[in-house]
Amino acid sequence: MGTGTGRVTRDDPAGEAAIAVEGVCKRFGTTTALDGVSLRVEPGTFVSLLGPSGCGKTTLLRIIGGFEHADAGSISIHGVRVDRLPPNRRPVNTVFQRYALFPHKSIFENIAFPLALQRVPRAEQRARVAEMLDLVRLPGIEARSPAQLSGGQAQRVALARALIGRPRVLLLDEPLAALDLKLRKAMQLELRRIQEELGTSFLYVTHDQEEALTMSDWIVLMSEGRIAQQGTPAEVYERPANVFASGFIGEANLLPGIVAATDGTTARVRLADGGAEVTAPANGVRSDQPVVVSVRPERLRIGRAGSANGAENRIPGRLTRRVFLGNIRREFVAIGPDLVLVAQRGVDAEPIPNGEPVEVSWQAANTILLPDEGASHGG
Amino acid sequence: MTGGRSHLVWWLLVGATLLFLFAPVAVVLLFSFNAASTTSLPFAGFSLRWYERAFGDHQFVVALLNSVKVAIVVAIFTAVVGTSAAFALSRRRSRWLDLFSSFVTAPLILPTLFLGIALLSFYTQIGLRPWLGTAMIGHALVTLPFVVLIVNARLMRLDRSIEEAARDLGATPFQSFRLIVLPLVAPALLGAILIVVAWSFDELVITFFTSGGDATLPVRIWGMLRRGIDPSVNAMASIILLTTIACTLLAGRFISGREIAR
Ligand SMILES: Nc1ncnc2c1ncn2[C@@H]1O[C@H](COP(=O)(O)OP(=O)(O)OP(=O)(O)O)[C@@H](O)[C@H]1O
Ligand SMILES: [Mg+2]
């Protein structure tokens, strides 16, 4: 995985994680928020905790920060067990989603708060606050009050305040969720720049898969209190481990079917809807196993029936709808009574009128077979 | 026009109501500055003689000091205990605390006459001689709920993550309370305390039953009225009136202005 370098690793014995979470479980009454979560954040890396609403991301972050206690499992930060330490004695800081600036204190007092607690001399406080404000590109706003800041500025101040104590690990809980799209994109780059500049390990919670893909060294994908998959952005995007990962990260056509034949390297799958056959790398499936075929929209080609392009999988269909998205076009092709594939084409591709018979094709290598977890109950 | 007529009627109603509400108040205030020695018209000229007479009366001065003592002790006690109780109530949800919260608000709805009698018989039962201290207990009992409820309402609207941020940045629970929570609830607390002082300063019934021989200002006035009206009573009543109004107005600034706006 990522670049385990920088000042953070200097005094660490080799192989020690910045954060090590082992088998953490947490229940709230009858809801299980976390169900045996284990993960490692390597020193100096940017790790995203990604998952849909309610999957337990905030709960895990709060347990690491010390605001919630796990029912089972352990948390270590740079090799030190912190399970019994209160938040003020853990070597991590948190950036909260709603900024949580102190409304009755100036920006200077907000950022200098950790230093004031440690009775750092006033001159040093001033120098370090100025340094932090430079880092987050808001120099000279020390005298203002939090009420006078925009959302993006408040978020930068919260970041400066969390970083001034020079934590080795920073936890961020959807820090950009309240910002508009443009500001969010800008802040994504800023956050990554600051993380690389300081070499601090970031554990970043988000439910935005695009954000996770663009910012992270490592993605931990969660679903219903468990880890569905983890890996580099390229790994989780290109080799989703299950139907959930495939659907949550990026877009995917998910087609249920049954394995008709397999020789161990390639398999043929009969689609449940429409009965077309698809060839794909076997990925460990057995004959007659219910599976889900996953293909990314950008892997699909659309052409007039019979046009040769060397793709193993060809399914006839009818173009039903076209959506223009600026740089690309998204086209919907019906290939069965209830089955519609989504394909992506460049704006220059030859336009085909709606309702026209077409052929959807893609290469076997770009097809992923995933075990159909829902099949036994679904029918 | 009917519109104009109903307008006029409305204003007459408002005027009459205000007159009935405030005329007695105005009369007391006015006669406290009257040079004549009867509390009847005509007004015989401005004078401070009734105030001089009141302050020359040793018993009045003792009663005034007693009132001040009660107000100060009750204010400090309810501020400390009320804030602690409000903090406990807003932070931990438990059935025990819910029960406590319904108990703590009970004195608010009990009639003061009942409370006065109940407290007096309780003190007698446990062999406590009524004096100024027992009156303070009575006042604290009734006013504590104000403080708990007002401070609790403020705490409930305080973003929990602000406190968590303080803890996260290295503050101990006490530091986070003293440096972050307390300054944020201070205006509401101050408002609540002013209401407590205003209430305590003119409370008669509970004090009458529980203070024994140590009269506060209202008790002293009540005693004087039974012996016939002396115009210096107007001066004493005016002192209570002005104190109460000043406290209430100030409290209103702290609670409605800064408290509700946030
Ligand atoms: N204090 C709590 N009391 C009861 N249930 C809770 C509490 N905190 C979280 N939960 C429950 O635990 C589950 C996980 O919540 P959590 O806040 O960790 O989700 P999340 O992944 O952060 O979601 P989101 O993206 O919406 O913030 C949810 O079902 C939630 O309702
Ligand atoms: Mg959350």
Side-chain angles (χ1 to χ4, degrees):
Chain A
M1 81 182 251
T3 51
T5 53
R7 71 178 89 149
V8 191
T9 49
R10 197 176 46 214
D11 45 337
D12 281 323
E16 188 175 88
I19 306 175
V21 175
E22 295 284 344
V24 163
C25 296
K26 178 71 186 177
R27 303 174 124 264
F28 292 106
T30 53
T31 41
T32 303
L34 295 174
D35 188 8
V37 170
S38 301
L39 63 88
R40 281 168 66 88
V41 173
E42 298 299 334
T45 61
F46 193 119
V47 175
S48 284
L49 202 53
L50 174 67
S53 187
C55 72
K57 307 181 294 291
T58 297
T59 304
L60 181 57
L61 216 62
R62 290 174 60 79
I63 289 175
I64 298 172
F67 302 109
E68 214 84 69
H69 287 280
D71 299 332
S74 72
I75 310 284
S76 303
I77 295 168
H78 283 282
V80 179
R81 285 281 291 264
V82 295
D83 307 281
R84 287 167 190 285
L85 295 181
N88 49 312
R89 299 195 35 222
R90 296 190 182 202
V92 292
N93 281 345
T94 307
V95 177
F96 294 85
Q97 181 171 344
R98 279 168 297 149
Y99 323 136
L101 297 180
F102 308 132
H104 59 302
K105 290 182 177 288
S106 70
I107 300 306
F108 175 84
E109 290 169 323
N110 261 279
I111 300 178
F113 184 75
L115 305 184
L117 288 175
Q118 296 160 24
R119 304 193 190 286
V120 169
R122 191 79 179 170
E124 190 189 333
Q125 287 188 24
R126 266 195 293 274
R128 280 174 67 181
V129 168
E131 186 189 321
M132 277 300 140
L133 284 176
D134 280 344
L135 182 74
V136 299
R137 300 190 204 238
L138 283 176
I141 64 157
E142 282 95 338
R144 287 208 224 161
S145 90
Q148 295 170 306
L149 299 182
S150 72
Q153 289 172 329
Q155 195 52 272
R156 284 160 195 253
V157 170
L159 185 65
R161 185 180 66 176
L163 287 170
I164 199 166
R166 298 174 184 148
R168 309 165 88 191
V169 177
L170 191 68
L171 310 174
L172 304 98
D173 192 357
E174 308 206 30
L176 309 183
L179 308 181
D180 66 61
L181 185 65
K182 205 160 174 203
L183 190 54
R184 194 155 71 224
K185 298 260 186 224
M187 282 295 290
Q188 287 173 5
L189 296 176
E190 286 283 279
L191 273 178
R192 190 64 223 234
R193 172 185 65 81
I194 290 168
Q195 186 266 329
E196 282 172 349
E197 216 168 298
L198 299 178
T200 311
S201 320
F202 275 32
L203 182 57
Y204 183 93
V205 164
T206 179
H207 60 253
D208 180 346
Q209 47 96 13
E210 201 184 317
E211 195 165 278
L213 287 174
T214 53
M215 296 175 83
S216 330
D217 294 314
W218 191 257
I219 291 178
V220 177
L221 179 63
M222 286 183 65
S223 164
E224 293 174 2
R226 284 181 217 185
I227 292 180
Q229 186 177 3
Q230 47 184 319
T232 64
E235 278 166 14
V236 287
Y237 185 81
E238 276 152 26
R239 293 198 295 281
N242 44 51
V243 174
F244 173 79
S246 177
F248 194 81
I249 298 187
E251 238 188 306
N253 291 294
L254 297 173
L255 317 169
I258 301 277
V259 178
T262 173
D263 63 4
T265 36
T266 46
R268 293 197 56 74
V269 176
R270 187 186 311 281
L271 299 188
D273 195 344
E277 287 216 345
V278 170
T279 311
N283 201 16
V285 297
R286 291 166 285 102
S287 271
D288 297 326
Q289 185 185 342
V291 291
V292 173
V293 176
S294 165
V295 201
R296 299 284 182 198
E298 67 269 20
R299 300 296 190 187
L300 295 183
R301 303 256 161 69
I302 296 180
R304 296 194 188 273
S307 56
N309 59 8
E312 293 88 341
N313 293 315
R314 298 166 168 277
I315 300 179
R318 217 164 21 77
L319 201 68
T320 57
R321 204 152 71 84
R322 167 178 305 137
V323 180
F324 181 67
L325 293 172
N327 52 346
I328 50 165
R329 233 168 27 205
R330 182 152 295 176
E331 310 203 310
F332 295 79
V333 182
I335 58 164
D338 289 314
L339 195 56
V340 174
L341 289 182
V342 183
Q344 205 163 287
R345 300 175 86 197
V347 279
D348 298 334
E350 177 212 357
I352 300 171
N354 272 1
E356 197 90 332
V358 290
E359 190 175 64
V360 183
S361 60
W362 71 92
Q363 296 188 337
N366 293 329
T367 319
I368 297 162
L369 294 189
L370 301 166
D372 189 351
E373 291 115 0
S376 44
H377 339 281
Chain B
M1 297 297 286
T2 47
R5 280 261 294 284
S6 62
H7 215 69
L8 188 71
V9 171
W10 192 81
W11 275 113
L12 277 174
L13 256 171
V14 170
T17 312
L18 286 178
L19 191 73
F20 273 100
L21 273 177
F22 289 109
V25 177
V27 165
V28 168
L29 261 178
L30 203 63
F31 279 114
S32 76
F33 295 108
N34 190 358
S37 49
T38 54
T39 48
S40 61
L41 288 168
F43 195 70
F46 180 82
S47 135
L48 286 177
R49 62 183 278 209
W50 302 117
Y51 285 89
E52 278 163 28
R53 165 106 159 244
F55 280 99
D57 173 3
H58 175 67
Q59 281 184 295
F60 164 80
V61 175
V62 169
L64 180 63
L65 285 178
N66 280 345
S67 277
V68 171
K69 279 184 213 161
V70 172
I72 290 177
V73 171
V74 170
I76 293 174
F77 175 83
T78 53
V80 173
V81 176
T83 307
S84 315
F87 196 67
L89 281 176
S90 70
R91 295 302 102 139
R92 274 177 258 278
R93 283 259 68 94
S94 77
R95 216 172 321 148
W96 195 88
L97 279 172
D98 285 343
L99 194 71
F100 172 74
S101 85
S102 52
F103 265 118
V104 90
T105 50
L108 269 184
I109 46 169
L110 290 177
T112 49
L113 183 61
F114 171 82
L115 272 174
I117 294 170
L119 278 171
L120 179 61
S121 59
F122 175 68
Y123 294 149
T124 317
Q125 295 264 320
I126 62 169
L128 205 60
R129 189 182 55 83
W131 64 295
L132 207 57
T134 51
M136 288 172 184
I137 297 176
H139 282 211
L141 191 68
V142 179
T143 52
L144 193 61
F146 283 117
V147 180
V148 174
L149 290 181
I150 291 174
V151 175
N152 188 53
R154 179 70 187 93
L155 282 170
M156 288 304 221
R157 286 189 300 103
L158 205 68
D159 187 353
R160 277 306 301 268
S161 61
I162 288 180
E163 255 175 277
E164 290 181 345
R167 295 297 313 281
D168 187 65
L169 295 165
T172 62
F174 179 70
Q175 282 173 324
S176 130
F177 178 76
R178 185 171 59 87
L179 299 171
I180 305 301
V181 178
L182 204 54
L184 289 173
V185 300
L189 177 62
L190 204 59
I193 293 310
L194 285 167
I195 290 179
V196 167
V197 168
W199 183 90
S200 162
F201 213 70
D202 80 345
E203 207 291 320
L204 173 63
V205 179
I206 293 177
T207 322
F208 182 76
F209 279 98
T210 57
S211 63
D214 301 334
T216 60
L217 207 45
V219 174
R220 167 84 186 131
I221 292 174
W222 166 247
M224 287 175 72
L225 285 177
R226 281 192 304 179
R227 277 181 275 111
I229 291 191
D230 172 332
S232 68
V233 165
N234 288 330
M236 298 179 187
S238 297
I239 291 172
I240 294 182
L241 176 75
L242 294 177
T243 311
T244 308
I245 288 180
C247 287
T248 312
L249 287 181
L250 263 175
R253 282 186 65 92
F254 283 120
I255 298 181
S256 64
R258 295 186 52 180
E259 158 68 349
I260 292 166
R262 221 195 86 79

